[in-house]
Amino acid sequence: MVKSDAIIELREVHKSFGAQKVLDGLSLSVPRGRITVIIGRSGGGKSVILKHMIGLIKPDRGQVLVDGQDIMPLDDRDLNELRKRFGMLFQDAALFDSMTVFENVAFPLREHTRYNETKIREVVEEKLGLVGLTGHGEKMPSQLSGGMRKRAGLARAIALEPEIILFDEPTTGLDPLMTDAINRLIKNTQDRLGITAVVISHDIQGAYQVAHQIAMLHKGRIIAAGSPEAIRESDDAVVQQFIHGRAEGPIEVL
Amino acid sequence: MNLTRPLEAMGRVVMHGLEQAGEILLLLLQTMLWLMRPPWRMRLVFKQMEFVGVKSLNVTILTGAFTGGVFALQTYHGFSLFGAESLVGSTVALALARELGPVLTALMVTGRAGSAMAAEVGTMRVTEQIDALYVMAVNPVQYLVLPRVLASVMMLPLLTIVADFVGIMGGYVVGVHLLGINAGIFVAKIIEYVDPEDIMQGLFKAAIFGLILSLVGCFKGFYTYGGAEGVGRATTEAVVLASVTILAADYVLTALMF
Ligand SMILES: Nc1ncnc2c1ncn2[C@@H]1O[C@H](COP(=O)(O)OP(=O)(O)OP(=O)(O)O)[C@@H](O)[C@H]1O
Ligand SMILES: [Mg+2]
């Protein structure tokens, strides 16, 4: 990294749910204006990391810093202000099921801009086009396929073109062509707007394609973080086993 | 045999009850704070008013009519023993205005709308839609709870007026047409004995009941966990807790007001 300018930083974060320890002193720094991809096993705590970054989950111990400021002591109002800088795609999209796809994507615009109806329509149609959902705006979320829901959630997350976007598995459940299209969309959006993106992915090839930094989560910690090349060449046996998808190795799969 | 066991268990139930009461009061406080802070989402309030009010009209009318009718039958049965049939109308009207109108309406709306609030908000909780609101910097108390509470507080008194009116009509039909009480006397005694104050106090109760059923419904929904089963649990608990609270509040309010 040219400049060690971290927009989000997790320091020694511990988080347990009941007796289950999910994050065990995890530290991770997300460079500004770059794409960071987090990889790791299913159930390992990747979604939990993302929710820490936006203050949906509070750490038991440790700090979450955004622009160098600890977000733990923030009151509701300041946290709200902070969240206006974020967009987030949830793993299950979390679309509002009482609204059409169009209204879902329009929601952040109606809440946080003064756009008139024409402008809103224009922006929503543009975003729906970007994720290949042109013409599906009037459907209800329950009428969409899983992959379509995910893409609608993606359109909603990028609608305001926020400074930081968190993507929880944007390509899981999409066909290979759509996977490539979405990976390109993330990369292009980042290039064009210079935003910061944090992407969770199980798609290693996609990660190589879009990431500036790849971080691997294992047993509640980030065990390796670096450029795609550095990760590919890593001599850590755990990382090697994971990126090559082998059942044999230091990670006990079952 | 441990003799303190039952005490312990009872203590835990009481503690849990107090804790819950505290949390509900906290939600009420937040709701009231958001009432003072724009943006006011009139569109959402109107939508809830339609849901709580207009869509509860049928059940309110049916409940009111049958209650008034059966109450006339019962009082006639008792009053005719000492020749006080002329007071059936005013007794029915007073009971409806002060007690039966607000309470029965509130219980019916709890079953219809309070349960739906818990289910709706609960589903939004377990499918992360509430988290999505937070992420999009929209406060869910302001977006989900406030419109429901406002609408319920406004609509319950209106529904109660309907229940009172239809109930008296029901009493009239049974008393005058079935039991042969003189129509003029039936009406005259109602006018003589029912104060506007009786009606107003009933409507005040109704507003409080609206607050209770919506707040409890939203509260149970808001703290739902555990998927579809959790939503089912939240819905049942909301109806039970709201109904019991309404009956308890009814006693307290009546004792204070009359
Ligand atoms: N709200 C919660 N309450 C209790 N346990 C939770 C909660 N959220 C997450 N967990 C637990 O934390 C662990 C990590 O969950 P998380 O969703 O972060 O996994 P993940 O790495 O995103 O997995 P996947 O790749 O399958 O999405 C899981 O074991 C899960 O059961
Ligand atoms: Mg996940």
Side-chain angles (χ1 to χ4, degrees):
Chain A
M1 240 41 69
V2 198
K3 198 163 64 157
S4 70
D5 179 15
I7 190 163
I8 305 174
E9 210 181 334
L10 276 64
R11 283 192 192 154
E12 293 288 316
V13 170
H14 292 258
K15 182 70 194 179
S16 301
F17 294 103
Q20 183 195 5
K21 184 129 204 163
V22 177
L23 302 185
D24 187 13
L26 176 140
S27 297
L28 169 65
S29 127
V30 174
R32 187 187 306 277
R34 291 282 183 277
I35 300 179
T36 297
V37 176
I38 301 174
I39 57 174
R41 300 204 53 198
S42 176
K46 301 183 298 300
S47 298
V48 170
I49 296 179
L50 228 52
K51 288 176 184 170
H52 272 88
M53 291 180 176
I54 196 163
L56 279 177
I57 297 182
K58 307 253 182 255
D60 297 337
R61 220 147 28 92
Q63 287 179 311
V64 179
L65 309 174
V66 176
D67 275 337
Q69 188 191 23
D70 191 351
I71 67 169
M72 275 285 277
L74 293 185
D75 62 17
D76 283 356
R77 196 181 284 232
D78 290 339
L79 203 52
N80 234 28
E81 284 308 310
L82 181 75
R83 283 174 178 152
K84 287 182 187 166
R85 298 170 52 194
F86 280 82
M88 179 169 178
L89 164 66
F90 284 81
Q91 188 162 358
D92 297 316
L95 297 174
F96 299 123
D97 50 23
S98 59
M99 295 178 199
T100 62
V101 170
F102 182 96
E103 283 305 320
N104 264 284
V105 180
F107 187 85
L109 301 169
R110 293 196 198 287
E111 286 300 322
H112 300 304
T113 69
R114 292 184 175 282
Y115 293 171
N116 61 22
E117 209 46 39
T118 326
K119 175 75 176 163
I120 286 181
R121 180 153 291 274
E122 185 185 309
V123 174
V124 173
E125 293 299 344
E126 181 215 331
K127 300 302 178 207
L128 286 178
L130 283 176
V131 298
L133 285 178
T134 303
H136 294 285
E138 293 318 308
K139 289 189 177 156
M140 298 303 280
S142 60
Q143 299 169 313
L144 299 183
S145 75
M148 287 162 87
R149 265 201 291 281
K150 186 138 261 176
R151 286 181 280 140
L154 192 68
R156 185 175 70 179
I158 61 176
L160 280 173
E161 306 194 333
E163 193 185 330
I164 309 163
I165 314 184
L166 312 176
F167 299 97
D168 198 342
E169 305 195 9
T171 57
T172 303
L174 303 184
D175 67 57
L177 309 181
M178 194 50 87
T179 298
D180 189 50
I182 294 300
N183 280 332
R184 282 168 198 270
L185 170 62
I186 293 174
K187 193 147 188 63
N188 286 342
T189 309
Q190 195 279 329
D191 270 349
R192 190 163 55 87
L193 304 169
I195 57 163
T196 306
V198 183
V199 184
I200 292 174
S201 183
H202 287 299
D203 163 22
I204 304 290
Q205 294 314 315
Y208 289 152
Q209 223 178 79
V210 303
H212 296 106
Q213 171 183 248
I214 297 182
M216 166 138 184
L217 170 71
H218 184 61
K219 295 199 164 145
R221 293 160 166 275
I222 298 296
I223 55 162
S227 65
E229 296 72 41
I231 292 293
R232 206 174 350 210
E233 255 98 74
S234 163
D235 45 22
D236 187 318
V238 171
V239 174
Q240 281 304 322
Q241 185 193 347
F242 189 84
I243 61 177
H244 290 106
R246 286 190 292 254
E248 301 290 308
I251 310 176
E252 284 187 36
V253 178
L254 292 173
Chain B
M1 192 55 193
N2 189 343
L3 287 177
T4 58
R5 254 304 144 62
L7 278 179
E8 237 178 70
M10 226 163 67
R12 215 168 319 147
V13 170
V14 171
M15 283 311 286
H16 179 72
L18 287 179
E19 209 175 288
Q20 189 147 293
E23 283 169 11
I24 294 178
L25 285 180
L26 206 66
L27 184 61
L28 174 62
L29 199 73
Q30 282 177 299
T31 310
M32 286 184 349
L33 286 178
W34 280 111
L35 181 61
M36 331 236 182
R37 229 197 270 175
W40 293 288
R41 301 169 182 279
M42 291 322 290
R43 220 168 48 84
L44 292 179
V45 176
F46 286 136
K47 205 172 131 200
Q48 290 300 323
M49 281 169 75
E50 190 201 350
F51 177 68
V52 175
V54 180
K55 298 219 166 125
S56 300
L57 212 52
N58 286 341
V59 58
T60 304
I61 288 173
L62 284 171
T63 312
F66 283 113
T67 307
V70 79
F71 206 68
L73 265 183
Q74 293 284 19
T75 39
Y76 181 84
H77 178 72
F79 284 16
S80 63
L81 294 177
F82 46 91
E85 293 93 338
S86 61
L87 290 178
V88 167
S90 51
T91 309
V92 169
L94 270 181
L96 277 167
R98 293 166 63 140
E99 201 55 53
L100 298 175
V103 172
L104 291 180
T105 303
L107 292 180
M108 298 311 286
V109 176
T110 299
R112 230 205 99 252
S115 62
M117 289 176 194
E120 226 176 308
V121 177
T123 303
M124 292 187 72
R125 165 62 76 191
V126 300
T127 56
E128 295 185 319
Q129 292 176 55
I130 291 187
D131 285 340
L133 281 175
Y134 277 122
V135 165
M136 288 187 270
V138 172
N139 186 291
V141 172
Q142 182 224 28
Y143 190 82
L144 296 174
V145 181
L146 183 58
R148 285 171 172 76
V149 170
L150 265 185
S152 302
V153 170
M154 290 190 281
M155 292 320 279
L156 259 283
L158 294 181
L159 288 171
T160 299
I161 292 180
V162 173
D164 290 354
F165 182 74
V166 177
I168 292 172
M169 302 275 284
Y172 181 91
V173 169
V174 170
V176 174
H177 294 288
L178 248 55
L179 303 171
I181 301 172
N182 180 293
I185 293 181
F186 188 97
V187 175
K189 292 289 177 189
I190 292 180
I191 294 169
E192 186 180 341
Y193 285 112
V194 182
D195 275 347
E197 184 145 326
D198 292 317
I199 297 172
M200 290 315 292
Q201 286 178 344
L203 298 187
F204 176 72
K205 275 185 183 176
I208 300 287
F209 298 161
L211 178 69
I212 292 172
L213 75 89
S214 54
L215 209 55
V216 171
C218 291
F219 169 77
K220 285 294 180 183
F222 210 78
Y223 292 99
T224 301
Y225 57 92
E229 197 188 333
V231 174
R233 184 179 346 107
T235 310
T236 314
E237 285 179 8
V239 172
V240 172
L241 182 60
S243 303
V244 171
T245 312
I246 284 171
L247 293 173
D250 183 44
Y251 179 82
V252 174
L253 288 173
T254 309
L256 289 179
M257 286 193 307
F258 295 115

